[in-house]
Amino acid sequence: MLKSIKNYFFSAFREIFVYHHSSLEFRAKTYAVLIASSHEPLSNYQSTLNEIASEIYSEPDRASALVITVKEYLKNIHIKKQRGEEALLIEVIRELRQVPRYALKIEPEHLTRLQSCTNDEDSVIYQDRLIDFLEQKRLEYRELKR
């Protein structure tokens, strides 16, 4: 019960409670786009997502905030039908244009690990393209910084 209340406050007041919430949200969007593109349940990805979040953030609260944020984006895509994964991908691209350093938040290894949880072959092919695209954005930013 206490954990669900804490998660609710994280969701409702992320801007206040979570340090650098915008970069965390960007990362969550990239994971949500990849997961949503498979049209498979989050349960297929849950343990891998938890592992990745723990590797990225040493603070358990911040790792939990990442997982909660990914779930929120997926809920908006799958349940509320407010936006599709394409709209979320466009949002990721827009954010990369506005804040190019976010490209460093793209971890192809993490995306590939999430992809390994996908069972549908067509979804795997689409995810390969997504990963290649996001990795290219990361490489472009690195080239700009040289």
Side-chain angles (χ1 to χ4, degrees):
M1 177 71 172
L2 184 59
K3 186 174 182 176
S4 65
I5 292 171
K6 183 178 175 182
N7 289 346
Y8 170 77
F9 278 106
F10 261 138
S11 295
F13 302 104
R14 187 175 11 256
E15 295 86 15
I16 297 169
F17 292 128
V18 180
Y19 180 71
H20 289 297
H21 71 90
S22 57
S23 68
L24 181 141
E25 287 188 24
F26 175 80
R27 205 174 243 145
K29 288 175 188 176
T30 61
Y31 297 146
V33 164
L34 188 83
I35 293 169
S37 70
S38 72
H39 304 287
E40 294 180 14
L42 176 62
S43 59
N44 290 14
Y45 302 90
Q46 187 69 51
S47 64
T48 304
L49 182 60
N50 289 338
E51 290 170 13
I52 290 169
S54 295
E55 290 170 15
I56 295 169
Y57 301 116
S58 58
E59 306 120 23
D61 286 343
R62 192 153 173 89
S64 178
L66 177 62
V67 173
I68 290 167
T69 307
V70 170
K71 287 180 182 180
E72 285 177 11
Y73 284 118
L74 290 171
K75 183 177 179 182
N76 286 338
I77 290 170
H78 291 300
I79 305 226
K80 295 182 180 178
K81 304 279 186 204
Q82 289 180 348
R83 61 168 99 184
E85 69 267 7
E86 295 87 8
L88 192 56
L89 181 59
I90 291 168
E91 203 172 307
V92 166
I93 294 166
R94 185 177 332 117
E95 285 186 35
L96 283 170
R97 286 185 189 135
Q98 293 171 347
V99 188
R101 74 177 183 281
Y102 281 175
L104 297 176
K105 304 290 179 193
I106 298 169
E107 297 288 342
E109 306 82 34
H110 292 162
L111 295 170
T112 302
R113 281 175 48 198
L114 282 171
Q115 180 192 31
S116 70
C117 302
T118 303
N119 297 315
D120 178 52
E121 192 59 40
D122 290 337
S123 295
V124 170
I125 292 167
Y126 183 70
Q127 288 174 335
D128 277 335
R129 291 183 180 139
L130 276 173
I131 293 169
D132 289 345
F133 173 77
L134 292 170
E135 188 171 16
Q136 184 61 38
K137 292 295 180 188
R138 180 182 172 98
L139 294 172
E140 287 172 10
Y141 178 74
R142 285 188 166 172
E143 287 298 316
L144 282 174
K145 295 309 281 181
R146 286 186 182 182

